């Protein structure tokens, strides 16, 4: 829901609070006492410049906004089956945006349009719990191998649907769900589910539907030994595609010190489920090495089949080389990544990350071999004490170069602060 004044945004947040107030007030009558509430403030500036674009196309996106996110959980009632309500209300306030520079993803805006001064969104979720099994119905920030939310802009991305999870059934975890709608970061309303950038992936819809209101998923994770996990997940976007994801991961200590070696392998098989020509097989491997405050990792990713790898509405693509601006998921693309993470021991709270991803052998349909690369850097400082305790300052930079599309240079500056209210 988009609104035009701060009072309407406040009303939405108050509605979430009121919906949760009754069960929280009954805490003395049987709730488990695990009610919680937090308020997150996020100030976000994004500047993205394009080079080698067609005449008349947008050359820069530049927006600045302030977001507030209120999250509340009533706590579960007592008894063999506990019930709870979860609420989320958020406000996005425009600080700077023009029609010529709109469309950054921070606000509900597009190139050539004026972003709303203030916008609000929110959801309620009904939850039930028995032992380690939970059922959630309503809005949710979801993380599964076949469908996952991202939180890389002003407000997080979330879905509407239902999800059942059972953890610790022997050495297995299970999950199953049905998702109907998606709410994008900065969007005022939720939308049907569709595929991100289908034309660039050689995906054809044969005059059939381009979106769906039903995504079904089911999956399990098996942990035979403490350092090893094996998982299988299946997802189906009605009338568009179905997908299987196999994943194996393990971490092993080295020399009994603060060192660890990580190995992860992933295979994804995606095919048509209805009108599309989708046909993709992706496999990838990642190796990581931890030593004290340092982490080094390398990954390789390979695409085969007659199309690229599809994923939903700019959500989490569940690929190792899904990074800040690219997913390296084009038809026939082969890509590799090197990444360096470091936590500064002498300056607690300061961390740095940089990575380089390169892809080639891309079928762009023009008779030439498509090539692209992206370099990302991330510098963050979190105050550990004093009046600014838990305030984080973050700068992110991304550079993209390719021979089949525009070059991109991007900067993001983010100030984030979360207050626990309960």
């Amino acid at each position: 829901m988009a609104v035009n004044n701060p009072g309407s945004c406040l009303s939405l947040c108050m509605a979430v609070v009121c919906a949760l107030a009754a069960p929280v007030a009954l805490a003395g009558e049987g709730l488990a006492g695990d009610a919680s509430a937090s308020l997150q403030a996020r100030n976000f500036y994004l500047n993205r410049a394009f080079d080698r674009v067609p005449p008349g196309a947008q050359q820069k996106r530049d927006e600045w906004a302030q977001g507030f996110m209120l999250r509340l959980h009533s706590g579960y009632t007592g008894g063999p089956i506990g019930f709870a309500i979860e609420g989320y209300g958020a406000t996005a306030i425009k600080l700077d945006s023009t029609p010529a520079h709109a469309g950054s993803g921070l606000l509900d805006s597009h190139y050539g349009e004026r972003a709303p001064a203030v916008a609000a969104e929110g959801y309620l979720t009904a939850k039930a719990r028995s032992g380690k099994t939970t059922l959630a119905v309503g809005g949710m920030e979801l993380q599964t191998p076949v469908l996952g939310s991202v939180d890389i802009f002003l407000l997080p991305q979330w879905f509407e649907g239902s999800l059942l999870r059972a953890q610790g059934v022997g050495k297995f975890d299970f999950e199953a769900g049905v998702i109907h709608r998606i709410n994008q970061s900065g969007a005022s309303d939720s939308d049907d589910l569709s595929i991100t950038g289908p034309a660039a992936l050689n995906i054809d819809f044969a005059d059939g539907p381009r979106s769906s209101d039903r995504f079904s998923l089911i999956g399990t994770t098996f942990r035979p030994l403490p350092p090893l996990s094996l998982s299988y997940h299946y997802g189906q976007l009605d009338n568009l595609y179905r997908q299987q994801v196999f994943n194996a991961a393990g971490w092993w200590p080295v020399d009994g010190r603060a060192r660890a070696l990580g190995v992860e392998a992933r295979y994804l098989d995606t095919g048509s489920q209805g009108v599309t020509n989708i046909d993709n097989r992706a496999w990838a491997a990642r190796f990581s090495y931890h030593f004290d405050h340092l982490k080094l990792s390398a990954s390789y990713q390979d695409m085969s089949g007659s199309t690229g790898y599809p994923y939903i509405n700019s959500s989490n693509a569940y690929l190792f080389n899904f990074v800040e601006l690219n997913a390296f998921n084009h038809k026939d693309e082969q890509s590799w990544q090197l990444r360096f993470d470091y936590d500064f021991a002498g300056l607690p709270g300061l961390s740095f990350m940089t990575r380089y991803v390169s892809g080639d052998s891309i079928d762009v349909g023009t008779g030439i071999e498509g090539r692209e690369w992206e370099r990302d850097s991330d510098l963050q400082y979190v105050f550990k004490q004093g009046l600014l305790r838990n305030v984080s300052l973050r700068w992110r930079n991304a550079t993209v170069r390719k021979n089949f599309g525009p070059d991109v240079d991007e900067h993001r500056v983010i100030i984030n602060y979360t207050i626990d209210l309960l």
Side-chain angles (χ1 to χ4, degrees):
M1 172 179 64
V3 296
N4 296 317
N5 61 78
S8 298
C9 292
L10 180 60
S11 298
L12 174 65
C13 292
M14 289 303 296
V16 174
V17 173
C18 291
L20 294 169
V24 171
L26 294 174
E29 300 180 13
L31 285 183
D34 56 354
S36 63
S38 67
L39 177 64
Q40 182 178 5
R42 180 180 292 172
N43 189 279
F44 206 125
Y45 171 73
L46 190 149
N47 177 288
R48 184 182 301 146
F50 301 94
D51 194 15
R52 298 190 303 108
V53 297
Q58 188 176 19
Q59 295 184 329
K60 183 170 75 169
R61 296 174 184 170
D62 189 283
E63 292 185 303
W64 181 30
Q66 175 68 50
F68 294 97
M69 290 153 276
L70 178 66
R71 292 182 172 88
L72 306 109
H73 194 287
S74 68
Y76 285 95
T77 60
I81 300 179
F83 297 94
I85 299 175
E86 186 174 279
Y88 165 84
T91 298
I93 302 171
K94 178 178 68 175
L95 299 178
D96 183 61
S97 175
T98 64
H101 297 155
S104 70
L106 299 188
L107 300 165
D108 190 12
S109 63
H110 302 279
Y111 177 40
E113 299 179 0
R114 190 170 299 278
V118 183
E121 64 180 40
Y123 64 74
L124 290 174
T125 310
K127 304 179 79 171
R129 180 179 70 182
S130 178
K132 294 184 179 180
T133 299
T134 60
L135 172 66
V137 180
M140 61 190 73
E141 294 171 44
L142 182 66
Q143 290 299 335
T144 77
V146 288
L147 183 61
S149 308
V150 295
D151 187 8
I152 57 174
F153 292 111
L154 183 69
L155 305 178
Q157 182 187 69
W158 51 273
F159 299 94
E160 297 174 7
S162 56
L163 183 70
L164 177 69
R165 277 186 168 148
Q167 296 181 305
V169 183
K171 295 183 178 182
F172 289 88
D173 295 338
F174 298 95
E175 58 188 350
V178 179
I179 304 300
H180 301 288
R181 306 275 290 176
I182 184 173
N183 186 282
Q184 295 286 11
S185 175
S188 55
D189 298 301
S190 59
D191 299 310
D192 282 346
L193 306 166
S194 59
I195 297 170
T196 304
L201 303 179
N202 295 341
I203 294 175
D204 178 35
F205 294 89
D207 297 324
R210 290 176 172 265
S211 63
S212 175
D213 63 358
R214 184 181 180 87
F215 185 91
S216 305
L217 65 94
I218 188 170
T220 183
T221 299
F222 173 52
R223 296 180 176 84
L225 298 170
L228 179 65
S229 68
L230 307 171
S231 69
Y232 169 80
H233 285 77
Y234 176 87
Q236 179 175 299
L237 182 60
D238 277 10
N239 299 315
L240 295 173
Y241 73 82
R242 51 95 190 134
Q243 185 176 88
Q244 299 183 86
V245 180
F246 303 83
N247 196 77
W251 290 95
W252 291 271
V254 178
D255 296 338
R257 301 175 59 187
R259 303 180 183 182
L261 176 66
V263 180
E264 189 167 2
R266 188 170 295 171
Y267 176 73
L268 309 96
D269 185 307
T270 312
S272 174
Q273 203 282 316
V275 301
T276 70
N277 66 331
I278 290 175
D279 171 50
N280 177 267
R281 285 161 298 284
W283 71 268
R286 178 168 61 191
F287 301 89
S288 303
Y289 180 68
H290 288 233
F291 177 73
D292 293 332
H293 300 275
L294 172 68
K295 178 183 176 182
L296 300 173
S297 59
S299 62
Y300 179 80
Q301 185 173 288
D302 181 272
M303 301 286 158
S304 62
S306 59
T307 70
Y309 169 87
Y311 61 99
I312 289 176
N313 298 70
S314 301
S315 62
N316 189 348
Y318 203 65
L319 297 171
F320 292 142
N321 290 346
F322 175 67
V323 289
E324 186 164 332
L325 296 179
N326 281 333
F328 293 85
N329 61 325
H330 295 91
K331 181 178 182 292
D332 295 338
E333 184 163 14
Q334 299 174 8
S335 60
W336 54 269
Q337 176 185 166
L338 294 176
R339 173 169 171 160
F340 172 89
D341 293 80
Y342 187 73
D343 290 328
F344 290 81
L347 291 170
L350 183 63
S351 61
F352 175 73
M353 182 280 298
T354 188
R355 64 189 166 207
Y356 178 83
V357 191
S358 177
D360 56 26
S361 302
I362 303 168
D363 182 353
V364 296
T366 61
I368 66 169
E369 176 190 327
R371 298 186 304 276
E372 60 181 341
W373 61 262
E374 177 171 339
R375 181 181 62 245
D376 301 330
S377 297
D378 191 316
L379 182 65
Q380 179 173 240
Y381 181 71
V382 180
F383 290 88
K384 297 296 185 179
Q385 57 189 1
L387 292 176
L388 297 179
R389 185 174 180 270
N390 293 330
V391 173
S392 68
L393 308 176
R394 190 173 191 178
W395 168 74
R396 306 188 75 179
N397 168 261
T399 301
V400 173
R401 298 291 183 266
K402 57 180 66 178
N403 67 349
F404 58 96
D407 296 335
V408 184
D409 292 283
E410 181 183 277
H411 295 276
R412 305 183 189 192
V413 179
I414 309 158
I415 303 174
N416 197 77
Y417 182 48
T418 300
I419 306 170
D420 290 327
L421 304 177
L422 278 180

